[in-house]
Amino acid sequence: MNRLKIVLGVTGASGAAIAVRIAERLSEIESVELHLVLSPAAHRTLAHEVGTEALPYLLRLAARTHDHADIGATIASGSFSTAGMIVAPCSMRTLAAISAGMADNLVVRAADVHLKERRRLVLMARETPLHLGHLRNMCAVTEMGAIVMPPVPAFYHRPETVEAIVDHLAARAIDLLALPITPQAVAWQGEDQKSS
């Protein structure tokens, strides 16, 4: 069976738990082959925010892990067919590099490939507040075809834990890839309207 190759790029912005949950969800889908690439700063953020066991755990979830400096990796070429890429979290440095086409590392190069090949690219841009440069970079990547999804939690499903919030964000990001799989996020069902 040909599996859907999904690239998960992880950078050093806050929100490392979201990357772990995305990897967990994708690894549970039999038809998905997860390709993982982490920036050096992501290693540090994973250890600080999730724990020292997070990195080896995340690496085990991937079918293939690529070195951040290896711009000759399979995922650096448009001839390597993928079904999409998520960068979670996406630092402002990575966002800026993607918007400018400065593919000096594998996260940015793989994202650049997804843009040029017109494949789904979801950027979970993480910063607050935003200055004009951040907003312009978000506009630029959107104009190029990326989907910018800041990890802003939804509360309509009434999450009771941080884990529930992280899980919903991960599910929404995966759904934005429009894969031929069962939707991951619980859909809004509307409010029951009482007759007046």
Side-chain angles (χ1 to χ4, degrees):
M1 168 178 79
N2 274 343
R3 297 166 76 198
L4 301 166
K5 296 175 181 69
I6 304 297
V7 179
L8 175 60
V10 186
T11 72
S14 185
I18 300 168
V20 173
R21 188 63 188 127
I22 289 170
E24 286 174 337
R25 278 183 162 271
L26 289 173
S27 71
E28 293 166 0
I29 302 168
E30 196 173 308
S31 61
V32 167
E33 179 181 300
L34 178 60
H35 288 253
L36 180 67
V37 57
L38 296 97
S39 74
H43 293 241
R44 184 175 182 173
T45 305
L46 274 164
H48 179 75
E49 293 185 352
V50 184
T52 55
E53 71 289 344
L55 179 60
Y57 175 66
L58 185 57
L59 297 176
R60 285 193 304 273
L61 294 172
R64 180 82 193 272
T65 302
H66 303 273
D67 186 275
H68 182 257
D70 185 10
I71 58 169
T74 54
I75 61 173
S77 174
S79 65
F80 185 74
S81 183
T82 67
M85 178 176 182
I86 300 172
V87 181
C90 181
S91 68
M92 289 297 113
R93 185 259 179 240
T94 300
L95 175 70
I98 294 168
S99 74
M102 298 182 67
D104 61 346
N105 64 62
L106 189 55
V107 173
V108 178
R109 174 58 188 166
D112 194 63
V113 165
H114 281 77
L115 291 174
K116 79 181 185 70
E117 299 293 330
R118 307 300 191 263
R119 298 177 190 157
R120 289 280 174 127
L121 173 63
V122 177
L123 304 176
M124 297 189 81
R126 172 63 184 86
E127 188 59 88
T128 190
L130 301 167
H131 62 60
L132 185 56
H134 298 150
L135 296 169
R136 285 184 173 153
N137 288 333
M138 289 181 189
C139 285
V141 296
T142 300
E143 289 170 343
M144 289 187 266
I147 299 170
V148 177
M149 182 197 164
V152 178
F155 295 98
Y156 61 82
H157 61 293
R158 298 191 179 184
E160 295 183 4
T161 64
V162 172
E163 289 79 13
I165 292 170
V166 168
D167 185 61
H168 189 259
L169 288 167
R172 287 282 292 126
I174 293 168
D175 285 347
L176 286 173
L177 293 177
L179 303 173
I181 61 172
T182 303
Q184 300 293 297
V186 175
W188 171 247
Q189 300 298 316
E191 288 184 297
D192 291 335
Q193 299 286 329
K194 292 183 178 178
S195 55
S196 35

